């Protein structure tokens, strides 16, 4: 799965970290536009595409998509 | 950015004014998924009152009416009566709907008019800075209940049922999938539907109600301290009653009743 | 808007005897009003009663709401649904509607609100007349906005002004108030009414979100009570843009005052005393003017007929007519707001005295004092629920003039 987090929308609330059933997320050293810590899909390969993080992100910052296979 | 939301949000209005971890965004997503699933975007208008939750529709590229405090249901009924074939969804909060808008809720429920209400209950007046609302739990210390609240809190869903609403559900912000399904069912239901969502306000109710301002903590708390109601079950006390609490298809809808009553008169003309 | 009838169709006009409130309701139907929400209140109740069935017969929607707040909100909602909408009320109900009148002004929603005035304050005098809401109608809601308010003085004017109220509200996309009172609301007179439906052309909002002005037309309208920009997004936190917005919604009325204003004059050509009146009091005032001129009184007399009679007047002796020395005329204001300052100034230019009788403590008179600096402006207030009689007016005028001489 391909997980992307919008730096301009994320407010760093941490809900995605807490609710992911596969613990895909961890806080990163990156900062969002607000200056707070941003999550990062540290174990992206574990993602099962349940989309709970998309639904639970209050700021529409997360997008989970199946990875496009090239060729 | 989320692909679904990208198609619905007014991009130039972002970011939202909601605090980090606010439940409003979760409810916004659930409502949008419901509208998208039903394919009714062009036939739906969103009406809201005043308060944080009433800002939910203002960020959406749809027909939106952001009205005065407590009056969303009155505006919505006018709109629905003018265009009976179209859908109207109302976003309102516990203060907006149960305090200042109580009379309009009473009469909209009683009429059983075909409107879907999403009642976002965060137990507090968030926008004005954390004052007691009609839904604030007893003993909660807020800016206007410094000795602990002593009013009995109002239960939005139960009140709607007692007033004659015909589809009533309650979920928390920790139940996004069920919430979306209930919104869909409420929209499809012919009659007055009210879906109460217990939502987190990390900034204000986090402090006054939950004693912890971490949104993730409140989400976990809501998940652990709620139960899904099934008919006939023994209800555990002290936990939030979630689920579809009422679904009555027998009571005729208001505009149908109105048309039936006036049909004879129209025919005679 | 839903498609309008192509042509104005005053096919048949006919004369009938109607009550003022009834005439107002009939005019609303003729003007294309297809949504009425209201709450019964004396002395406006006949409007809601009449429309409860009449609205159904023309395929419109009628609803009795839980209160006046909800009634005002419902008509705004219905207007965004594309139906021309109206509500009717009186003093206490009008007070409750103020919140929504402000909302309609800021969202540029065309709606018509009828206030059949009764005596106040509070529950006041439910069955008696007054003109006490003359300032509330302009300043009732909080904040800066402009309002159009019309004051009918006869059943015919109840009918005509209601139609014009719809025209003005649609053209300028603003709430318009028909400021009637118990006297005109309840009197019965002969009135010319029309069949069919008048086509009324709509205007555009100053702050247009999309070319589509109504909901469900794919325009993604954002109707916003906060100060907003062209996209509907809030600008309340931006001082210069907010100021621009307020100037815009006030300006669209102030800048078109010549088009909106309706001020009539009777015998003002060479008058040096003017009675300035509005609403039902202007009936008494016209009667007083005619008495002073010694003209036989008849409700149906036309201006031309009067001019001929006027010549005969001067010959009458002072004994027959104690007021023949008063060279008095009438300025009748039909659109009290926006204040028709220029027109009043022009008409009263040659006057030494301007008397302002009104059924309140002397409110509109303050506006007249402000705009007429050259002459003596005298307030003739009357409170308690009764209209001024013509004799009362003439006595007060004669007394004032005599004292000065």
């Amino acid at each position: 799965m391909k997980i992307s987090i919008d730096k301009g929308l994320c407010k760093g609330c941490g809900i995605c970290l807490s609710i992911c059933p596969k613990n895909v997320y961890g806080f990163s050293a990156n900062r969002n536009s607000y200056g707070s810590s941003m999550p990062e899909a540290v174990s992206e390969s574990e993602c099962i595409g349940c989309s709970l993080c998309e639904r639970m992100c209050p700021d529409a910052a997360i997008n989970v998509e199946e990875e496009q296979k090239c060729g | 950015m989320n692909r679904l939301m990208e198609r619905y949000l007014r991009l130039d209005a972002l970011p939202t004014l909601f605090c980090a971890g606010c439940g409003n965004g979760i409810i916004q997503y659930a409502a949008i998924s419901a509208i998208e699933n039903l394919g009714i975007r062009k036939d739906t208008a969103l009406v809201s009152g005043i308060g944080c939750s009433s800002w939910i529709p203002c960020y959406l590229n749809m027909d939106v009416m952001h009205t005065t405090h407590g009056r969303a249901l009155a505006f919505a009924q006018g709109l629905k009566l003018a265009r009976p074939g179209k859908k109207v969804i109302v976003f309102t909060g516990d203060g907006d709907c149960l305090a200042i808008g109580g009379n309009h809720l009473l009469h909209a429920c009683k009429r059983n008019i075909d409107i879907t209400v999403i009642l976002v209950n965060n137990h507090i007046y968030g926008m004005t800075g954390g004052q007691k609302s009609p839904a604030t739990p007893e003993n909660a210390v807020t800016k206007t209940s410094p000795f602990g609240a002593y009013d009995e809190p109002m239960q939005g869903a139960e009140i709607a049922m007692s007033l004659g609403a015909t589809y009533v559900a309650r979920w928390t912000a920790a139940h996004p999938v069920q919430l979306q399904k209930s919104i869909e069912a409420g929209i499809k239901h012919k009659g007055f539907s009210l879906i109460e969502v217990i939502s987190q306000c990390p900034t204000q109710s986090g402090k006054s109600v939950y004693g912890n301002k971490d949104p993730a903590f409140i989400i976990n708390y809501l998940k652990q301290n709620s139960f899904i109601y099934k008919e006939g079950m023994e209800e555990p006390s002290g936990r939030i009653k979630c689920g579809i609490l009422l679904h009555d298809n027998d009571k005729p809808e208001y505009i149908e009743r109105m048309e039936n009553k006036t049909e004879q008169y129209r025919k005679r003309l | 808007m839903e498609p309008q009838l192509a042509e104005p169709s005053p096919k048949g006009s006919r004369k009938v005897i109607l009550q003022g409130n009834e005439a107002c309701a009939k005019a609303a139907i003729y003007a294309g009003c297809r949504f009425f929400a209201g709450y019964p209140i004396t002395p406006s109740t006949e409007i809601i009663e009449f429309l409860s069935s009449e609205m159904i017969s023309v395929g419109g929607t009628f609803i009795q709401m839980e209160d006046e707040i909800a009634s005002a909100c419902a008509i705004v909602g219905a207007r965004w649904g594309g139906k021309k909408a109206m509500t009717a009320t009186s003093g206490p109900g009008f007070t409750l509607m103020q919140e929504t009148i402000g909302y309609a002004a800021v969202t540029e929603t065309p709606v018509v609100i009828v206030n059949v005035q009764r005596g106040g304050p509070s529950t006041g005098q439910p069955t008696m007349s007054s003109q006490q809401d003359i300032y509330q109608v302009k300043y009732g809601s909080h904040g800066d906005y402009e309002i159009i308010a019309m004051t009918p003085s006869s059943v015919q004017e109840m009918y005509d002004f209601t139609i014009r109220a719809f025209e003005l509200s649609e053209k300028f996309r603003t709430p318009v108030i028909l400021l009637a009172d118990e006297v005109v609301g309840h009197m019965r007179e002969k009135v010319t009414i029309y069949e069919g439906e008048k086509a009324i052309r709509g205007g555009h909002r100053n702050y247009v979100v999309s070319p589509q002005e109504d909901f469900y037309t794919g325009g993604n309208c954002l109707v916003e009570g906060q100060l907003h920009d062209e996209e509907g997004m809030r600008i309340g936190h931006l001082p210069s843009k907010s100021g621009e917005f307020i100037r815009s919604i006030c300006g669209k009325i102030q800048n078109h005052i010549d088009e909106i204003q309706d001020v009539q004059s009777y015998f003002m050509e060479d008058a040096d005393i003017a009675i300035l009146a509005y609403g039902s009091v202007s009936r008494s005032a016209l009667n007083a003017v005619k008495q002073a001129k010694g003209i036989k009184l008849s409700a149906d007399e036309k201006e031309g007929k009067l001019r001929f009679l006027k010549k005969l007047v001067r010959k009458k002796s002072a004994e027959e007519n104690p007021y023949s020395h008063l060279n008095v005329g009438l300025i009748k204001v039909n659109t009290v707001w926006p204040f028709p300052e220029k027109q009043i100034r022009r008409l009263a230019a040659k006057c030494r005295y301007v008397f302002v009788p009104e059924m309140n403590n002397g409110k509109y008179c303050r506006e007249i004092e402000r705009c007429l600096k050259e002459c003596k402006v005298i307030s003739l207030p009357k409170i308690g629920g009764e209209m001024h009689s013509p004799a009362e007016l003439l006595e007060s005028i004669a007394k004032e003039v005599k004292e000065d001489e």
Side-chain angles (χ1 to χ4, degrees), chain A residues 8-29:
Chain A
L9 293 174
C10 172
K11 291 173 183 164
C13 69
I15 289 179
C16 50
L17 273 87
S18 147
I19 52 98
C20 176
K22 290 288 172 186
N23 292 319
V24 166
Y25 294 98
F27 266 121
S28 73

Side-chain angles (χ1 to χ4, degrees), chain C residues 325-341:
Chain C
H325 64 293
L326 300 175
N327 191 7
V328 58
L330 169 69
I331 300 173
K332 177 170 174 288
V333 183
N334 293 336
T335 50
V336 277
W337 307 113
F339 185 59
E341 195 165 333

